[in-house]
Amino acid sequence: MLTRRLALAAVLLASFVPLLAQDAAATREQRARQLLMVMRTDAMGLQIIDRMIDGMKSAMPDAGEEFWAAFRKKAKASDFVSMLVPVYSKNLEPADLDELIRFYSSPAGQRFLDKQPLIMQESMEIGQKWGAELAMEAMQEMQKSQSQE
């Protein structure tokens, strides 16, 4: 009798384990989606599309404004977020997702998000200047070594 009960319990437990794993994955994906929304990733995705369109207009001058309007209309912020959910849920633990949601929901996190575009722009300018200086130094060193030969 005890063996039957144990066997029945094992069968029931085995049937619930996949369901628990599915629930855990769904919860992780929900957390990832919540994090992406708190981080304003939807708006960031549309900004990326707008910058891409600006860059592509010069490469495709014959496309016309009607094409670009149709292209932009197809860009849905929710699609961008949905494409990123698996990346975040795969690479971040649930506890990390929770902590990041807490941070980005906080006043400090919101202020950081407000300033992030400016921080990124200034960082890119610094990086470009640094790269130009390094390239100049490398060219000067090459010229110096070639003149010594």
Side-chain angles (χ1 to χ4, degrees):
M1 190 67 154
L2 181 60
T3 307
R4 277 187 172 170
R5 288 184 185 168
L6 287 175
L8 180 60
V11 168
L12 289 173
L13 183 61
S15 66
F16 283 115
V17 168
L19 295 175
L20 293 173
Q22 287 175 348
D23 286 347
T27 301
R28 194 176 196 151
E29 288 179 359
Q30 290 167 345
R31 287 175 174 154
R33 183 174 301 280
Q34 183 180 359
L35 172 61
L36 290 164
M37 295 310 294
V38 169
M39 291 173 55
R40 306 178 195 161
T41 305
D42 51 344
M44 182 179 63
L46 294 178
Q47 289 173 353
I48 290 168
I49 290 292
D50 290 340
R51 287 189 186 132
M52 187 173 67
I53 288 172
D54 289 343
M56 292 172 65
K57 281 183 176 181
S58 60
M60 299 172 59
D62 297 334
E65 287 304 315
E66 187 177 321
F67 170 79
W68 297 115
F71 182 93
R72 177 61 170 82
K73 187 176 180 180
K74 291 185 72 58
K76 305 270 187 281
S78 59
D79 292 344
F80 183 61
V81 170
S82 293
M83 288 186 283
L84 294 178
V85 165
V87 176
Y88 278 70
S89 62
K90 176 179 73 172
N91 290 293
L92 295 170
E93 296 297 321
D96 296 330
L97 290 166
D98 290 341
E99 286 298 317
L100 288 166
I101 290 166
R102 244 187 305 283
F103 170 71
Y104 284 111
S105 296
S106 73
Q110 290 295 300
R111 284 191 301 274
F112 174 75
L113 290 170
D114 289 340
K115 295 293 184 176
Q116 191 174 21
L118 183 59
I119 291 168
M120 291 301 294
Q121 180 182 350
E122 290 179 19
S123 298
M124 287 177 56
E125 291 169 4
I126 289 168
Q128 289 171 345
K129 182 180 177 191
W130 182 41
E133 289 171 1
L134 292 174
M136 184 64 77
E137 289 175 18
M139 286 190 347
Q140 289 172 349
E141 287 176 15
M142 278 181 36
Q143 290 173 348
K144 183 177 176 183
S145 67
Q146 288 174 353
S147 66
Q148 291 176 353
E149 291 177 359

